[in-house]
Amino acid sequence: MNMQQAADRADAMLDATFAAIQPEVQWSHTATTAGSCDVTRRRMVMTIISEQRRGSFLGLVERFWKQSGYVIKSVNPDKHMPVIYAQSRDGFAITVSVGDKGNVDFEVDTPCVQESEVAEPTSKPNGPSYKDVWPLPLPNVHSDFWSAGTSTTPN
């Protein structure tokens, strides 16, 4: 497997995870990084996930990962900034974390593979694309379900 194939596998893991989240959330790509033999793909949830719905959201993701055969390596249950670390059978690490502003980020780190060029992800965000915008805005999409208990604007 080369770095592009590994990046494609990482994208497929993220695509499947986001497809399992119901009701759907909007997301955007964030930075892709490539090391000497590995790739990291990242996505940020642009839907506001309220503190009241955070546990349900993370539980849904964790259950999907377990059903997909991923091993949960570690869980940081911090009330304000929880993180779930998992790993696929083929050595890809996948993480979901909640940031200090309530932003939810996903990341897939590939194992070391054969060096190659790596193209940008081909998956299209299901909302606004923030290509070439850094830093990304905080989550700003209201969901009747996931944003329950919050206003329509982030803190």
Side-chain angles (χ1 to χ4, degrees):
M1 179 178 288
N2 65 32
M3 290 169 70
Q4 181 60 58
Q5 292 165 325
D8 292 343
R9 167 85 170 109
D11 291 338
M13 292 170 67
L14 290 166
D15 288 344
T17 298
F18 277 90
I21 299 170
Q22 296 298 321
E24 179 180 67
V25 294
Q26 285 191 17
W27 59 270
S28 184
H29 292 288
T30 59
T32 291
T33 53
S36 60
C37 69
D38 61 333
V39 179
T40 301
R41 292 286 212 211
R42 298 175 183 88
R43 292 183 187 177
M44 182 172 168
V45 176
M46 300 310 297
T47 300
I48 300 164
I49 309 295
S50 70
E51 194 170 335
Q52 295 88 336
R53 296 286 191 198
R54 193 175 293 159
S56 297
F57 183 86
L58 294 172
L60 186 154
V61 169
E62 183 176 2
R63 282 188 302 280
F64 173 74
W65 286 351
K66 286 179 179 177
Q67 291 168 356
S68 298
Y70 303 163
V71 174
I72 304 303
K73 301 298 274 183
S74 177
V75 175
N76 177 347
D78 184 90
K79 180 174 171 37
H80 299 289
M81 294 175 57
V83 183
I84 301 172
Y85 302 93
Q87 188 171 27
S88 67
R89 290 185 183 123
D90 53 356
F92 286 69
I94 188 166
T95 305
V96 59
S97 60
V98 178
D100 64 339
K101 303 288 187 203
N103 49 303
V104 177
D105 297 294
F106 285 82
E107 180 174 300
V108 176
D109 297 309
T110 73
C112 188
V113 294
Q114 182 181 359
E115 186 177 2
S116 72
E117 293 293 317
V118 178
E120 290 297 315
T122 58
S123 301
K124 301 289 183 220
N126 63 349
S129 173
Y130 292 99
K131 185 172 172 43
D132 302 324
V133 174
W134 186 255
L136 263 63
L138 288 174
N140 54 23
V141 177
H142 182 81
S143 159
D144 288 342
F145 181 79
W146 292 118
S147 308
T150 64
S151 66
T152 58
T153 56
N155 296 339

